[in-house]
Structure formats: C-alpha cells, structure tokens
Amino acid sequence: VTGLPAWLNGKLVADATLSASDRGFLLGDGVFETMRTAGPTILWLDDHLARLRAGADLLGIPLDRNPTEIADGLAELVAVAGLEHGALRLTLSRGPSAGRGLVPPLDPVPTLLASIAKLVPAVASVSLVVAKSVRRNEGSPLSRAKSLNYGDNLVARREAILRGADDAILLNNRGLVTCATVASLFFKLDGRWVTPPVGDGVLPGLARQRLIGLLGAGEESVQGAALAHVDSIMLSNSLGLSAAVSLDGRVFVAENFAQLSARLFGGP
Amino acid sequence: VTGLPAWLNGKLVADATLSASDRGFLLGDGVFETMRTAGPTILWLDDHLARLRAGADLLGIPLDRNPTEIADGLAELVAVAGLEHGALRLTLSRGPSAGRGLVPPLDPVPTLLASIAKLVPAVASVSLVVAKSVRRNEGSPLSRAKSLNYGDNLVARREAILRGADDAILLNNRGLVTCATVASLFFKLDGRWVTPPVGDGVLPGLARQRLIGLLGAGEESVQGAALAHVDSIMLSNSLGLSAAVSLDGRVFVAENFAQLSARLFGGP
C-alpha cells in the first residue's frame, strides 16, 4: 500500500501477504503497537514491546522472538524505509488456524508483522462529538490492551464522520468518559488537567502516562455530563497531540500544544 | 489448512492469501457468517446473506456482489468440497488499507472470502462456567452483529479452558446473561424455555430465532444470579445444538436434543 517494505516473521518482504486463515483476520486474535520514529530512532520502544507482550499474555499468544530480535528487525525496516518521521506498526496475531472455531491451535505459528508509513503530523485541531451509537466496554480487559478488535472504535469514528466531525469521544456503559477512537483524552477542568483512569475502560497509553507526569494531571472518572464544563480537550497517542476545537458543536479556543509535543516526543 | 479450496473475491483458489494491510486483519473491520451445509444445500442461506449485509451496512462496508453471485460462488465451493455435512464460513472485510489509521479508503476493494470444513457434530454435552474475566458489551451494536471482533469471546473461552470447562457464559456490564462464546443460550426455568433478548447484547441468531418458535421460548432478561435456578441449558448456533452438563460445577441431567436438532436442521 505504501510502496514501503514490511518485516514479516523475521524477514523484510516487498509485498506482505497472510494466510486467509490467519486468526488475526478471522477472529481479531492478536495485538499491536504503533510507534513513532525519528530517523533511525524508535521512540519508547521498550515500553511498546512490554505492552505488546502484556497483551499477548492476556490472549495467550506466544511471542517467541525476544525483544532484541524484534528490535533488530524493526531497526532494519526503519533503515530501509529511510523516513525522517515514521509511524511504525507492529502486529502480532496467533497466526493460521488449525481448524474451525475459537479453540486455538495446540502449536500456533504466530504472525509477527511490522509495517511503516510516513508520519502524517497529528492534525493540530479536531472537532469532536460524543458517540451515541456505541459505548466502550469497561468490562473487558481488551479495553485496557491494544488488541486487533477495533470494531467499536470504527463504529464511533464512522458516526463522527457522518455527523460532520473528525472524531468521537466514547463513553462506557456507566456513562463515564473513556477515550477517542485512537487517542487518550485530557480535559482542563477548573484550570486542572484530568484524564480518565484505566479502570473506566481506557488503554494505558504511553503518551498518556508521560503526560500525566508532565502536566501533573489527575486520573479521575469524568461523567459524560461534565464535558459541558471542560475548558480544553487534548488528544494524545504515541504519534502526536491534538487539540479539540469543538465538542458537539460547542467551540473551544484550541490550545497550541506544539511546545508540549516537543517536550514529549523530542525534536525542535 | 483444511486442504480444501476457498472462494476468494469471485474465484476458487487452492491457497487463499490476503494482503497484510487488509483492514479485517488490522482493525477487525468486517463481518462473517457460518452456515451449515448438507450435500449441496446451504441451510438458511438467504437469512445468512441478509444478516451479512446488515452487518456490512452497520460498518459501512460495500457489498457489491449481489446475493445470486454470492450464492453461485458458494454453491461452486460446496460442490468442489463434496462434503456430506459442512461448515461454510463467509467473511467480508473492507479489504486493503489505503493508508494508516481508522478512516476507511474512499474507494475500498472489499475482501469476500468463503472457506469450508467438514462439519464436526456439535459436542452433545458441554461443561460451562460464567466468565469472570470479561463482560459482553451491551452498549455496542456489534454485540448484535457478527463482526470479526471476537476478542472478548476469545478471552472468555480461554478462561473457561483454563478453569477446566468447555465454554463460558458471558454476562453483560449490567450483570445480565447474554450468550456463550459461539452460541445462543436457552434456559429452562420453572419448566419454560427462556432466552435473553437481543437488547441485552445478543446476536440475533438464526437457530435462536427458529428455536424461539419451535419451543415457544420467551425472550426475557436473565440475571446472572438466576442461573442458580435453571434446570437445563441449551446452546444453539447455525451448526448445531448442545446441552450443558454443568455450570460452575453444578451438574445437570443433560437433555438429549437430537430430535429437536433434526427438526431444526432437517435430516434423520
């Protein structure tokens, strides 16, 4: 798709293909990470690999390659791509099925795939709506992992676009705010930064964790109704920061997070 | 995997492969159906295709091939496979990505894949546990569609197996009973059959719908605590019926659903 190579099961390949029986495709049986690269450097690599392994453990997917092997493979891909700023995705699935149904093969051959694309700078300012069509599942451990099951997020994003917005905020089934479709959320409430806690159904984002420290943000449950009183909204993920310009039509003075972004990701 | 051919985007192929950028693999951006075959006959084909289309509409995935084209392709695959009883899976994804992220390509080239395997008769009797690790998301429309996002079900099945059981019952976030990991549930309560309503986060199963008629079953919300009082549990999907022999260690006299199965699916 990008014209760039991929790294698949230990080898650089020009056109990566998968078995159509891959359980990542059939069942969402896998996890992934998205990493920011700057020249040859992969930001926060150790933390990304640790979170990938935690997600794999949750699903019981073996990750036989050790972190050094994976890091070497990713470095090779990043070098060949030669991008100034890249978005590097590493996906692990349980690999091809041995038969029908949910029971995993006794001897799985996992798929480990890395692909890279030019980093498109995060949109500086986005319009948001609160999703009406779907809630985040606070009762699933996968809400706190980065699994391949992005269906609910796709439904929310689709709703946002159909309503003329850029992205959606998802509430959980208790009406508490969780995240946007591909980003953690920070709210300024009475001059303080607040972000929803992981227990409400939130991915423990790597940018999120660092921003909690940088901003002195509190991890606090936020009722959907409290969104009427926030003064500023920041979206964060491992690729960048954005500011909300509006929420359900209410307009904000979007803050400029360029300096904060430079502190978080390095660079000028 | 099965040694049998597949039908991929309109053609019979011996080894079906997908682009590693397929959004079904990367994001769970797709839906599927599993159908029972008897010789050349595909049971409930029209209903399966209608439900596939409803799921595709929910995600906004175009399904350009009309039902007749699809039926012809499936018939060809079923004929070549030559199985007395088969399990036929039809999967639709949005196809390869055009770039990073959730926003779908403007001009998607969906993947439509059918594969077939010998029907393994439903296990006559299964041991169940109520999943503790994961809840079903009643707040997602995908709980009422057959999407590729089986992660929560995988977590529940994994828990069941680790606890020495065959399958798990999922409660939703309100503590109401929903389904097993690949089956609808029917409970005998005070001599009456009851099944949870779709609104509680349940797939509108095709076997389920027919069984409601055959059994005169009521669609009623079932509290998790009420499971202590059920006298019998039946699991149904489009491939077969099973009876529970135990739930969280409490033993049932498993009923024999052979006659009901013959009425539902035809055959001897």
Side-chain angles (χ1 to χ4, degrees):
Chain A
V1 171
T2 58
L4 293 168
W7 181 75
L8 179 61
N9 298 327
K11 284 181 197 142
L12 281 186
V13 293
D15 282 303
T17 58
L18 305 171
S19 163
S21 82
D22 197 288
R23 289 172 55 104
F25 177 74
L26 297 177
L27 297 167
D29 196 4
V31 289
F32 73 103
E33 291 292 323
T34 303
M35 296 165 264
R36 179 165 163 154
T37 68
T41 304
I42 302 169
L43 269 71
W44 314 338
L45 175 61
D46 292 350
D47 287 351
H48 280 293
L49 293 183
R51 192 171 62 181
L52 186 81
R53 184 170 290 274
D57 287 348
L58 176 64
L59 290 170
I61 299 175
L63 177 54
D64 293 338
R65 284 174 213 277
N66 64 49
T68 307
E69 277 180 281
I70 297 172
D72 288 350
L74 296 179
E76 197 183 355
L77 178 63
V78 170
V80 170
L83 299 169
E84 192 175 355
H85 297 286
L88 175 65
R89 176 172 163 146
L90 179 63
T91 305
L92 172 71
S93 83
R94 204 184 307 262
S97 305
R100 279 204 68 267
L102 265 54
V103 177
L106 289 176
D107 202 7
V109 183
T111 298
L112 186 63
L113 168 76
S115 58
I116 189 164
K118 192 166 182 295
L119 180 70
V120 179
V123 177
S125 50
V126 299
S127 60
L128 297 175
V129 292
V130 176
K132 296 174 179 173
S133 57
V134 60
R135 297 291 179 107
R136 180 107 174 151
N137 189 6
E138 70 273 21
S140 171
L142 295 180
S143 289
R144 296 176 280 280
K146 213 164 160 60
S147 89
L148 300 178
N149 300 271
Y150 261 55
D152 289 344
N153 305 46
L154 291 168
V155 169
R157 178 68 74 95
R158 178 171 159 77
E159 178 191 335
I161 292 170
L162 290 173
R163 291 171 64 190
D166 297 313
D167 203 354
I169 290 180
L170 286 117
L171 307 182
N172 69 18
N173 288 284
R174 283 179 286 146
L176 299 173
V177 176
T178 62
C179 53
T181 65
V182 294
S184 305
L185 291 171
F186 287 80
F187 303 101
K188 204 180 253 178
L189 261 167
D190 302 325
R192 283 182 66 230
W193 284 108
V194 167
T195 193
V198 170
D200 289 349
V202 167
L203 182 74
L206 299 186
R208 173 185 176 277
Q209 195 56 44
R210 286 159 175 80
L211 286 165
I212 288 171
L214 285 172
L215 299 170
E219 291 185 79
E220 295 170 20
S221 292
V222 177
Q223 292 284 347
L227 294 174
H229 309 294
V230 302
D231 300 314
S232 180
I233 305 178
M234 180 172 66
L235 297 86
S236 73
N237 62 28
S238 294
L239 298 182
L241 303 182
S242 302
V245 287
S246 66
L247 173 63
D248 283 339
R250 185 166 75 90
V251 175
F252 300 104
V253 179
E255 292 195 54
N256 183 335
F257 296 123
Q259 266 199 315
L260 183 62
S261 178
R263 281 177 70 195
L264 182 60
F265 297 109
Chain B
V1 172
T2 57
L4 293 168
W7 181 75
L8 178 62
N9 298 326
K11 285 182 196 140
L12 281 187
V13 293
D15 282 303
T17 58
L18 305 170
S19 163
S21 82
D22 197 289
R23 289 171 56 103
F25 177 76
L26 296 177
L27 297 167
D29 195 5
V31 289
F32 73 103
E33 291 292 322
T34 303
M35 297 166 262
R36 180 166 162 152
T37 68
T41 305
I42 302 169
L43 269 70
W44 314 337
L45 175 60
D46 291 351
D47 287 352
H48 280 293
L49 293 183
R51 191 171 62 180
L52 186 81
R53 186 171 289 275
D57 287 348
L58 176 64
L59 290 169
I61 299 176
L63 177 54
D64 293 338
R65 286 173 210 277
N66 64 48
T68 308
E69 277 180 281
I70 297 173
D72 288 350
L74 295 180
E76 197 183 354
L77 178 63
V78 170
V80 170
L83 298 170
E84 191 174 355
H85 298 285
L88 176 65
R89 177 173 161 144
L90 180 63
T91 306
L92 172 73
S93 83
R94 204 184 307 262
S97 307
R100 278 203 69 267
L102 265 55
V103 177
L106 289 175
D107 201 7
V109 183
T111 298
L112 186 62
L113 168 75
S115 57
I116 190 164
K118 190 165 183 294
L119 180 70
V120 179
V123 177
S125 49
V126 298
S127 59
L128 297 175
V129 292
V130 176
K132 296 173 180 175
S133 57
V134 60
R135 297 291 179 106
R136 181 108 171 149
N137 189 6
E138 70 273 20
S140 171
L142 295 179
S143 288
R144 295 174 280 281
K146 211 164 163 63
S147 90
L148 300 179
N149 300 272
Y150 260 56
D152 288 345
N153 304 45
L154 290 168
V155 169
R157 179 69 73 93
R158 176 170 160 78
E159 178 191 335
I161 292 170
L162 290 173
R163 292 171 63 189
D166 296 314
D167 202 353
I169 289 179
L170 287 117
L171 307 182
N172 68 19
N173 288 285
R174 285 180 284 146
L176 299 173
V177 176
T178 61
C179 52
T181 64
V182 293
S184 305
L185 291 171
F186 287 80
F187 303 101
K188 203 180 254 177
L189 262 167
D190 302 325
R192 283 181 68 229
W193 284 106
V194 167
T195 193
V198 170
D200 288 349
V202 166
L203 182 74
L206 299 186
R208 174 185 176 280
Q209 195 55 44
R210 286 158 175 82
L211 286 165
I212 288 172
L214 284 173
L215 300 170
E219 289 183 81
E220 295 171 20
S221 292
V222 177
Q223 292 284 348
L227 293 174
H229 308 296
V230 302
D231 299 315
S232 181
I233 304 178
M234 181 171 66
L235 296 86
S236 72
N237 62 29
S238 294
L239 298 182
L241 304 181
S242 302
V245 287
S246 66
L247 173 62
D248 283 338
R250 185 166 75 89
V251 175
F252 299 105
V253 180
E255 291 195 56
N256 183 336
F257 296 122
Q259 267 198 317
L260 183 62
S261 178
R263 281 178 71 194
L264 182 61
F265 296 109

